[in-house]
Structure formats: structure tokens, C-alpha cells
Amino acid sequence: MLLAQLLDRAGTGVWAAACVLYFTFVIGLDAGQVGLLLGASGVAGIAGSPLAGHLADRFPVRSLLIGAHLLRLGTLCLMLVVTDFALLLLVVAVTHLGDRGAKTLEMLFATRVAGDRRATYQALSRSSANAGYALGAGLAAIGLAVGTRGAYQVLILADALSFLVVAALVWRTKEARGHGLVVPPAGPADATGPAAAAAPAGRGPWRDRGYLRFVLLDIPMHLDDSILGIGIPLWLVGRTEAPHELIPAFLVVNTVLVVLLQLQVSARVETARQAAGAVALYGVATFACCALLAGAGAGGVWGASAALLAAAVLATAAELVRSVSSWELAVRLAPKEARASYLGVAGMAQSVQKSAGPLLLTGVVMAAGPAGWLALGTAVAGLSLVQRRSSLRRLDRLERLERTPPVPAAFG
């Protein structure tokens, strides 16, 4: 699975680096059309996670994951021949829907196979994913340097073929027993036991206020992604004297630190309570990152460069913590017998952030200047404490329910 993820992310890295230029120079779209295309794909991606979770409760996860990869293979091949904007809009939206669904299914599959070693697997997954993104970006740089229509088409084909290879690797991976993450009841008494009390039959994640609160609070706990990829580069260009050549260094810093440190961070977050405590650390790291960005504009060339690099390190530190704590809490706060559908809903947090985060940063935070960064850091730090407290309370309640003996079923 780790090799499959590396190849998947390599293909995704190729597409991420080349898609805007492909739509602009090969298809001939203007900036407004490209923005609408990418915005619509982001909205479609939000539905990918809950849809994948819903299906995983009913069908084998491995089969669904293979299907998601083949769906992306087909839609990317269609992009080579589709030039009509309306059809392209549909194709890109379906591609992103499959992309988000595949990522959720990957983690559902890994959660079942890895068991209590979820944190270790998540660390290895993050390391391989970052290595894959870096590899994909490097391959895309070669094609972009050539700059011809044929070069762009080769990049898209490379991305599509990566999904075909990944589907084959998943097909060869042995699937654990059971279709999804559902734990079937052992007998009549289970229907009134602690697990049922945690998530009554037919209730589901959409009617579980406690879990929805966790998902809602988890959205700002993913802002490190937009801060690193959008906020820091744009702030460098628009508000500091740092050289533009520094921008690629942010990705290098992020990739190297994740590959080197993710396993060590995961080793310190092995339980649900440790994961809840780590959420507070996310808030501290994000606040410090935002504070450095707020002051970067007053530091001159060297001062601004040092502040921006330090901010990239802190954003990466937040990512290292979040990548472990977020998924661990999503798993542990969900009832065992309905984890697939619950984790599908939890996956929406990252998708919503990817759509709303860039708008928040560019339209609100950076428009407000240094005060905007300080406000954002303060808000995320405060919400991280709320998330920590809320998660611990739900864990306490679930533990009490597990200790409560089941009520014997009545037979007439």
C-alpha cells in the first residue's frame, strides 16, 4: 500500500504542477474559466469522502479503491480529447470526486489492516506521500520546461498511467476479512449494549452532533496546508522584501522534515488522549507561524527570509502533528460498528479546507495585513483548545459506555 500511495501521489504531483498551464496554454481557457474549473472540482471533492464512506459500509473497500483509481484513469484520458468547457467542467469535477474518495478509501483500508498501529502506518504514509509529491513535481518540471502541447499531454498520460499501476498494486494487496470497517453484532444483546448507545441504529454520523462538532472543528486544524502552499508564498511576493527564489525552498523544507520526522512524531501520539493533547500543540505551532508572518514584512531582505523560512518550519510542525492526531481522533471518536461512514464524513474536513482555506487567506487574512495573520493564529489556537476539550469529553463518554454492562435482551 505504501508503494501504491507513493505512485499515486507522484501522479497527483505531476497533475498539480501542470494542470493550470495545461488548461491555459493547451485548452485555451482564460483565468476566470480556470478559476471556475478548479473551484468546481474542489466543491465536488467535498462529496467524495462521505460518498466513499457510505459505500464502504456496503461493499469491499479494496474493490471500491480500485474502482476509484480506474475512474480517475478514465477521466484523465478524457481530458486529452475534451475541449468543450462545459464537458471539461464535468470531467474535472468527477476526477476530483474520485481523488478525494480514493484518499478516504486508502485510509479506511489502512485503518482496518493496521489496527492499533494506525499511527505508525500514518507516519509511513505521510512520508511516502511527500516523497511522491516531490517526485511528481520534479517530473512535471521537465515537461513544463519543454512547454509543448505534446509535453503537457505526456504529463497527463503519466498521471493516468500511475493510477493504472496503483490499481494493480491494490488488487494484489491481500484484503483483511470483512467488507468494510463494520463490526457485525454478535447477538441480540449487542443491540442494546454500549456500542449501540454510542451510535443508535439508523442514526449515522449526520445525526451525531458530537462527531459533527469534531469534524467542524477539524476544518481549521487543516489550515497549515493552505498557509504553506498559498499564504507564505503570496505574503513573500506581496508584503516582504525576500527574494522570489526562496519560494521553492518552502516545499523542500516541508518535504525533508516530513520524511525525517513523521515517524518520530507518530511514536509520541499512540493513544486517543495523546492525539487530543496534540491538537493543542497544533494551535501553538500555527499561532507562532502566523506571528512570524505578521512581522516578516518589517525585517528587510535577510530578516524577512529568515522569518518566512521559520514560518515554513512551524507550518510543517503543525502538519506533522495534525497528520497523526486528526485521523486517530476521527477513528477513536467513531463507533466501531459504523466507522466507514463516520470516517467518510471526517474526511470532509480536509476537502472543505482545500476549498475555503485559500479564499480565507487571500480574501480576509492577507487583505487585513499583519493583523489578519495574528487574528488567524489566535483563532486557530483557541479552536484547538475547544477541539481538545470536546474530544476528551467524547472519549470519556465512550469509555463509560464501554464499561457499562449490556442490558440483557428481553424475550417474549
Side-chain angles (χ1 to χ4, degrees), residues 148-372:
T148 64
R149 181 187 185 92
Y152 284 111
Q153 291 175 332
V154 167
L155 290 177
I156 292 179
L157 279 175
D159 187 13
L161 288 175
S162 74
F163 297 140
L164 181 61
V165 175
V166 170
L169 290 173
V170 173
W171 179 73
R172 294 183 59 186
T173 302
K174 184 178 180 180
E175 186 170 12
R177 292 181 180 180
H179 284 181
L181 294 173
V182 181
V183 179
D190 289 351
T192 54
R203 182 175 178 178
W206 295 107
R207 299 179 63 186
D208 188 335
R209 294 182 180 179
Y211 199 81
L212 289 178
R213 184 185 306 115
F214 160 76
V215 175
L216 182 64
L217 289 170
D218 201 39
I219 295 173
M221 302 302 119
H222 284 77
L223 276 171
D224 60 276
D225 182 54
S226 292
I227 290 174
L228 183 66
I230 296 173
I232 297 179
L234 289 182
W235 193 250
L236 179 151
V237 172
R239 295 296 189 102
T240 76
E241 298 178 18
H244 295 185
E245 292 78 9
L246 190 65
I247 291 178
F250 303 144
L251 176 61
V252 174
V253 167
N254 176 261
T255 301
V256 171
L257 289 180
V258 169
V259 171
L260 292 179
L261 300 178
Q262 187 69 79
L263 273 174
Q264 297 179 40
V265 173
S266 299
R268 298 177 180 272
V269 185
E270 296 182 339
T271 68
R273 293 190 176 278
Q274 289 173 335
V279 175
L281 294 179
Y282 180 92
V284 172
T286 303
F287 175 81
C289 172
C290 291
L292 281 172
L293 291 172
V301 174
W302 291 104
S305 299
L308 291 168
L309 285 171
V313 171
L314 287 167
T316 302
E319 176 190 342
L320 289 168
V321 173
R322 180 260 300 167
S323 63
V324 177
S325 63
S326 178
W327 190 257
E328 180 66 19
L329 288 174
V331 173
R332 295 297 297 272
L333 297 180
K336 293 181 180 179
E337 72 279 4
R339 272 185 179 165
S341 57
Y342 271 71
L343 294 179
V345 173
M348 291 178 62
Q350 186 174 10
S351 299
V352 171
Q353 189 283 139
K354 283 184 176 295
S355 296
L359 297 176
L360 172 67
L361 292 183
T362 58
V364 179
V365 174
M366 288 188 280

